[in-house]
Every structure is written in structure tokens, then in C-alpha cells.
Amino acid sequence: MENGGGSATRGELPLVFSAPRRGKPPQHWADLTATERREAVEGLGHRAFRARQLSAHYFAGLRTDPAEWTDLPAEVRDELASTFLPPLLTRARELTCDDGTTVKSLWRLHDGATVESVLMRYPDRATMCVSSQAGCGMACPFCATGQGGLQRNMSTAEIVEQVVDGARRLDRGEIAGGPGRVSNVVFMGMGEPMANYKAVVGAVRQLVTPNPDGLGMSARGITVSTVGLVPRIQQLATEGLPVTLAISLHAPDDELRDELVPVNTRWNVDEVVDAAWEYAKITKRRVSIEYILIKDINDQAHRADLLAKVLRRGNWGWVHVNLIPLNPTPGSKWTASRREDEEEFVRRLEKRGVPVTVRDTRGREIDGACGQLAAQVV
Ligand code: SAH
């Protein structure tokens, strides 16, 4: 991988929890709360109501070109735009598939770091899959992002801008299928969201704050996916943000999970499942359990039985298992399960009444599917 990060020992990458400190991205309107925006606008010598006008343009109208802000005097427009809307994401490349309804964007950040986001449009909804870090420090061996190491954390606004771009393009009818809106945001792009907790929770707040101070999305449409940083899962449950939590479990036993999801050596299967169950109890939101099916590694019938056992908390009403056929990544020796093994795995879970679906994977041919985001420029 050209974005090589941490040093490899015995083919294993180290776990990296804190991002290297780099020059911070410029502060942006989407980093600020409504109060901070008013104060900042007044600090420039403008009337406080200008903040509300700018928010209406940015969050409600998705208008970032000051020429369109015709309710503001021209000189005010330019000053507000240059102060509060610095360009954070520059599109370096775009790939589409599924007749233009799946769009992967490669973004260059202010310091040259690169990240990717994927817009997936379905007949009844549109999902933005966003990155929360440039790279990832969690070192999962089946994931292309994890193999590249961690470059840095993204800021709140860098995360929000990925959603705003998708929302704007849908709104302007630039995506196949006519005008539309972003109904869902999943933190399943590059990075471990819980390792960049503050910026991620800040971004979620910008997404769910009603117009014009935020994008006005429903928290129910937002999913935060994690390898299982237990203290952060506990903290997220207290934020009053009923987002869907997804746990990348991938194995029901510690021996195998230690290998597939190295952070398991810190917080093991039982601890992660307990934290997820507490999250479900506190937020009343059903938790998604993500389980990649890898041929002859974690797809045996006995592991399906064990998975059901491990997830049982009285019953399985608190959980939904999402099985994901492994997507190929460069240099990996693993492949997706045989169809009959996948079917048997599903059958074993269903027999016990465990809610389960097999994820319909999008974007595989443009390396835009789960685990394939490596932000390679060529
Ligand atoms: N770091 C977070 C957010 C990334 S989400 C997390 O791991 O949950 C990306 C999802 O795709 C995770 O469930 C991840 O385990 C899964 N994934 C990674 N590599 C994959 C691959 N090669 N094939 C299929 N799914 C993969």
C-alpha cells in the first residue's frame, strides 16, 4: 500500500489509538455550534443575524458559492465565505458503477492526506458512507484501510463536508435517478470512528441539528460502526443521540477474533457484546452485528451456533446480524465463503430466531465496497 503507516512485525501491524498530530485543518462553519457562529460573525463586526443567513445557505440550501447568497451584501458574502467556508475537500477522482447510482469520491485534504466516501442510491433511500480518519490504526488484516496504517484524524467539518457534497449533488439532480436527498449516513468509510470520538460526535450533532443550524437528519438514519472500543461505546450511549451502533464482530470466540480484529486483545468478545447490549438498552436502538464471511476462517457451522450463543441476552430482540461476504483486498489470501456455507450459517442463526440478513454489497468493482477503501490516487 502506498500510504504505508505503522511498521509491520511478523506480518502484523501495531494497534494505533491516537493519531499523529498534524497541522489542523482550517476551522469551518461546520465545526462551530450555533452560538459560536453568532459570536464569530459578531467578532468580524457583522450583525448576528448574518450567522443565521449563512447557516440557511450552507445547511438548508447547500449553497457554498457566495454568488448565490443574494440576501447578503456582496462584501459581506466574500468575507464570510473566505473566513468560514475554507475549502476542506478537493475532489481528486470519482468512480461510478451501478448505472451511476453508486459514486465513490476520492478527496484530497488540505495537507495532502486522502480519504474516500461512497454515495449509494437505492429506490427508497440514499446512503452516504463517510470516512472519519485518513487511514486507520486498527490493523484488521482483511481490510485495505487497516493495512495502510493511520495518517490522521479528520475534523468535524471534514466529515460533515462529505455528507454536504452528497446532499448537494442529490439535490441538484446530479446523481442518476433524479433529485433526492441523503436519508442515511454510515460511518463505515475509512477509519475507526470511536478512535476519533470528539470529531465524530460533533459531526453527528451537525447532521441531526434541525435546519437551518444543521442538516436536519434523523439520528435513526445514522450508523456509527466500530471495532469495539468499549469505553467509547459506553460514552456514546450517554450523548442523547440515538444513532444506530454497528459492531464489527467477525468472530464469536476470542482466539479467532484476536487475529481478525486485533483490538480484541484489549476488549474481548464478551466485553464488546455487553457494551453493545447496554447501548441497546439505554438508547432503545437495535444494534447491528457485522460479521464478514471468510471462507474456512470464520464461516463454520459451529461458529454460527457459537455466535447465537454469544449474542443471547435472554433473547435476540436487541440485535440484528449483518453478514457481509468478504470483499477482495490487495495481497489478502482470504476469499468469500462458499454459497452453501453462507446458507448454512444463515440457517443456523434463523433456526434460533436470531434476526439476520446478508448485506447486498455495492461498489465492489470500483473498490468502493466495505474494507476496500485505500484512497489510492492512481
Ligand atoms: N472501523 C470501523 C468502521 C469501518 S466500517 C469498523 O470496523 O467497524 C467498515 C466495515 O466493513 C466493517 O464492518 C469492516 O469490518 C468491514 N470490512 C472491512 N474489510 C472488509 C472486507 N474486505 N470485506 C467485507 N467487509 C469488510
Side-chain angles (χ1 to χ4, degrees):
M1 208 111 311
E2 54 185 18
N3 294 334
S7 60
T9 35
R10 288 184 289 116
E12 287 169 25
L13 290 165
L15 278 169
V16 181
F17 290 96
S18 47
R21 284 207 164 270
R22 292 233 205 153
K24 276 199 166 196
Q27 193 174 65
H28 184 280
W29 200 243
D31 287 310
L32 305 175
T33 64
T35 309
E36 289 167 344
R37 288 173 196 145
R38 266 194 311 277
E39 288 168 2
V41 164
E42 285 180 324
L44 288 179
H46 299 296
R47 305 278 301 280
F49 72 91
R50 298 289 183 211
R52 200 175 165 80
Q53 288 178 305
L54 179 50
S55 283
H57 285 302
Y58 181 75
F59 288 110
L62 308 165
R63 288 180 292 270
T64 45
D65 178 358
E68 294 181 281
W69 307 344
T70 50
D71 55 341
L72 288 152
E75 63 287 358
V76 179
R77 287 182 215 169
D78 291 338
E79 189 182 7
L80 294 185
S82 60
T83 310
F84 297 116
L85 300 182
L88 297 179
L89 310 182
T90 310
R91 199 186 309 274
R93 198 164 55 128
E94 177 172 298
L95 293 171
T96 62
C97 63
D98 302 316
D99 296 321
T101 59
T102 301
V103 182
K104 179 172 92 162
S105 301
L106 172 72
W107 302 106
R108 195 181 305 284
L109 309 181
H110 81 102
D111 58 352
T114 51
V115 300
E116 293 180 319
S117 59
V118 186
L119 174 61
M120 289 159 284
R121 188 167 204 188
Y122 303 87
D124 57 335
R125 64 187 199 280
T127 300
M128 269 307 301
C129 177
V130 298
S131 293
S132 57
Q133 298 182 309
C136 185
M138 296 297 109
C140 302
F142 51 81
C143 177
T145 310
Q147 294 311 294
L150 177 61
Q151 277 85 60
R152 72 163 167 89
N153 281 330
M154 295 177 75
S155 67
T156 288
E158 285 174 328
I159 298 169
V160 172
E161 278 273 88
Q162 297 169 67
V163 180
V164 167
D165 178 77
R168 184 192 302 111
R169 298 185 63 197
L170 276 165
D171 181 74
R172 310 292 192 260
E174 291 168 18
I175 306 295
R181 41 187 292 280
V182 174
S183 55
N184 298 77
V185 171
V186 297
F187 286 80
M188 295 189 180
M190 300 174 72
E192 166 50 43
M194 296 295 193
N196 185 16
Y197 185 85
K198 210 167 153 230
V200 165
V201 168
V204 171
R205 289 195 195 285
Q206 303 289 1
L207 301 184
V208 303
T209 298
N211 276 166
D213 292 326
L215 280 175
M217 293 186 57
S218 160
R220 291 167 181 276
I222 299 173
T223 300
V224 175
S225 182
T226 178
V227 288
L229 306 192
V230 165
R232 295 294 173 230
I233 296 172
Q234 292 164 338
Q235 193 176 352
L236 187 64
T238 68
E239 299 282 355
L241 292 169
V243 296
T244 301
L245 177 70
I247 304 286
S248 292
L249 198 66
H250 307 324
D253 54 298
D254 287 323
E255 195 185 346
L256 180 57
R257 195 166 191 267
D258 281 350
E259 187 189 342
L260 294 183
V261 186
V263 79
N264 196 68
T265 55
R266 285 273 186 117
W267 296 283
N268 67 22
V269 171
D270 272 343
E271 291 169 312
V272 171
V273 173
D274 270 339
W277 185 51
E278 291 293 333
Y279 186 90
K281 278 197 295 187
I282 293 170
T283 61
K284 313 261 188 303
R285 305 286 300 139
R286 200 184 276 250
V287 171
S288 283
I289 299 293
E290 315 289 291
Y291 196 105
I292 301 175
L293 287 172
I294 313 176
K295 184 176 149 192
D296 297 332
I297 300 290
N298 67 348
D299 62 353
Q300 305 85 352
H302 74 88
R303 282 209 161 84
D305 295 343
L306 185 58
L307 178 61
K309 190 169 164 219
V310 158
L311 295 178
R312 182 173 183 159
R313 291 290 181 279
N315 58 29
W316 293 278
W318 67 283
V319 88
H320 184 101
V321 174
N322 241 316
L323 299 175
I324 314 167
L326 180 82
N327 294 308
T329 58
S332 170
K333 50 190 186 294
W334 291 324
T335 58
S337 301
R338 298 173 202 89
R339 174 155 291 258
E340 60 268 29
D341 293 336
E342 178 182 305
E343 285 168 359
E344 180 62 15
F345 206 94
V346 172
R347 222 175 359 253
R348 296 239 171 184
L349 293 174
E350 280 179 340
K351 200 176 74 192
R352 289 175 175 74
V354 184
V356 55
T357 42
V358 179
R359 181 181 289 172
D360 145 53
T361 289
R362 281 258 190 131
R364 211 179 280 159
E365 59 270 48
I366 53 173
D367 281 348
C370 304
Q372 294 185 316
L373 303 183
Q376 296 198 1
V377 182
V378 285

